[in-house]
């Protein structure tokens, strides 16, 4: 198992979904909370330390300061202290054969 601290989390921050509070806490959806991560949004704004990224299903449901967010009790939590979340990177330069 690769430790989260040794890799950057690649998440497309532009894919934030619009979910109701009831959907955010639906036990049938897989939920993951990346706790205490530094978020770099790719806009040139300063990095945002100590954030939590809540992923529900295949979408980012919420991004907030770690001390203010309400994480569903059934969510898998990952302590991402020292890690960074950045927008998904695409290889826009390729040489096909």
């Amino acid at each position: 198992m690769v430790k989260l601290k040794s890799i950057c989390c690649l998440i497309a921050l532009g894919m934030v979904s619009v979910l109701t509070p009831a959907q955010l806490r639906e036990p049938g959806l897989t939920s993951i909370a990346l706790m205490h991560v530094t978020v770099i949004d790719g806009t040139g704004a300063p990095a945002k330390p100590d954030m939590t990224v809540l992923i529900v299903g295949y979408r980012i449901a919420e991004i907030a300061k770690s001390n203010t967010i309400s994480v569903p009790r059934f969510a898998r939590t990952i302590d991402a202290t020292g890690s960074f979340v950045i927008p998904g990177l695409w290889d826009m330069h390729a040489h096909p054969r």
Side-chain angles (χ1 to χ4, degrees), residues 77-89:
T77 59
I78 299 172
D79 183 1
T81 303
S83 296
F84 296 84
V85 172
I86 63 174
L89 302 176

Side-chain angles (χ1 to χ4, degrees), residues 9-45:
C9 300
L10 300 177
I11 298 175
L13 294 177
M15 298 298 290
V16 177
S17 72
V18 180
L19 297 174
T20 66
Q23 288 172 312
L24 288 174
R25 283 149 184 82
E26 169 121 8
L29 294 175
T30 301
S31 299
I32 300 172
L34 301 175
M35 309 287 294
H36 309 292
V37 69
T38 299
V39 174
I40 298 174
D41 64 15
T43 66

Side-chain angles (χ1 to χ4, degrees), residues 44-59:
K48 298 172 182 82
D50 196 27
M51 302 292 285
T52 291
V53 178
L54 178 61
I55 303 164
V56 179
Y58 294 101
R59 296 184 181 246

